[in-house]
Amino acid sequence: MKLKDYARLSATIRLKSGLHIGTGEKPERGEPLNVMLSKRTGYPYIPGSSLKGKMRHLLEIAFGRVETDPKDKGSPCWCGKCQVCLLFGSGSSGKTYEPTRLIFRDSFLTEASEDLLEKIELEEKPGVRIDRLTGKAAGGALFPMKRVPEGSEFSMEISVRVFENDDIDAIRRWLATGLFFMEQDALGGGGTRGSGYIEFEGVQFNGVAFDADWREKTKKQKDGMADVQVKK
């Protein structure tokens, strides 16, 4: 197969709630969970792996792609042949038949959001575990987390490898479906407790802006996406 071209999806990620992309480090009891910071800028950023993993997970569970490694039942689909594997890559090197199409870049704060964060700083959201017997906060079960505040914006970019016989419009439609699902769901930690509510603004694919009603169109078409083939 021959690499024919590259396409590009770009957008601004706007936070509709605080966002926590954690470092994975375990803090001392009572100390807040920290957020991922760029060593270059010193500001929070969203790793490409977080965006890729979340979009892939949502597409897999929406379209029943659960063929995982029996030795690692939490692994991504590893069939290597379904539309999700063609776009995101197989979950198994032993079942990789074609190169991954999608390359997710790290997303950094816009300059305006960096300036805003200089003034208001990261927010700290308290969290407690409720004692199911008393209905009160359990003693010592405080788990606060730092969050990038609501209203902050990140620049997002996905580069797309387009091989001969690939259907570029099918790839655009799969990406639109992934963005739609991510807006309905949550990104990062604490998503079921109010964090990570995002929306995408100014979405463009190959320099062409998404229609203003792309969400409504995607919602109507999403059930038929299982038949939309990346390869012609």
Side-chain angles (χ1 to χ4, degrees):
M1 61 191 303
K2 183 178 179 182
L3 179 61
K4 178 182 170 185
D5 201 357
Y6 285 90
R8 176 175 177 266
L9 183 141
S10 62
T12 297
I13 301 172
R14 183 174 182 278
L15 305 189
K16 298 181 75 173
S17 73
L19 173 70
H20 175 82
I21 301 291
T23 63
E25 298 171 350
K26 189 174 181 180
E28 298 292 329
R29 179 182 287 270
E31 292 294 313
L33 293 165
N34 286 319
V35 299
M36 188 78 76
L37 299 177
S38 164
K39 288 189 175 180
R40 177 179 63 82
T41 67
Y43 293 109
Y45 75 105
I46 304 173
S49 57
S50 296
L51 292 166
K52 179 182 178 183
K54 189 68 185 192
M55 185 185 289
R56 176 176 189 145
H57 165 67
L58 293 173
L59 290 172
E60 284 184 348
I61 60 175
F63 298 104
R65 298 313 311 164
V66 292
E67 190 175 334
T68 57
D69 183 346
K71 296 179 181 177
D72 180 10
K73 293 185 177 178
S75 69
C77 180
W78 74 335
C79 78
K81 295 181 178 178
C82 70
Q83 303 310 301
V84 175
C85 281
L86 288 177
L87 289 166
F88 293 84
S90 171
S92 167
S93 58
K95 292 191 175 185
T96 297
Y97 307 108
E98 298 194 17
T100 302
R101 266 55 169 190
L102 303 181
I103 302 169
F104 287 73
R105 312 293 189 195
D106 292 341
S107 297
F108 295 94
L109 281 171
T110 62
E111 192 171 320
S113 290
E114 287 184 353
D115 292 341
L116 178 64
L117 200 57
E118 283 287 337
K119 297 174 183 174
I120 64 174
E121 300 183 339
L122 293 172
E123 63 185 25
E124 189 172 311
K125 182 182 181 184
V128 295
R129 181 173 64 83
I130 300 299
D131 186 312
R132 295 305 190 266
L133 295 177
T134 66
K136 299 178 180 178
L142 180 67
F143 48 91
M145 65 165 58
K146 290 186 177 180
R147 305 195 309 179
V148 184
E150 173 188 345
S152 300
E153 295 180 340
F154 295 82
S155 298
M156 186 186 80
E157 180 178 321
I158 302 171
S159 185
V160 182
R161 294 171 177 150
V162 183
F163 292 88
E164 56 184 355
N165 300 322
D166 279 358
D167 185 335
I168 194 168
D169 187 61
I171 296 174
R172 181 194 63 78
R173 290 175 63 186
W174 275 101
L175 283 170
T177 305
L179 297 179
F180 176 78
F181 284 152
M182 290 176 75
E183 284 192 346
Q184 316 309 309
D185 210 271
L187 181 66
T192 60
R193 302 190 300 276
S195 298
Y197 186 16
I198 64 173
E199 67 179 0
F200 298 98
E201 296 182 339
V203 185
Q204 291 194 1
F205 186 75
N206 246 3
V208 179
F210 274 24
D211 294 339
D213 60 347
W214 71 269
R215 294 177 178 84
E216 290 74 19
K217 288 181 178 176
T218 302
K219 185 176 182 179
K220 290 178 182 176
Q221 299 172 1
K222 64 180 176 56
D223 291 339
M225 285 304 297
D227 297 324
V228 176
Q229 303 295 302
V230 171
K231 289 177 64 176
K232 294 178 181 175

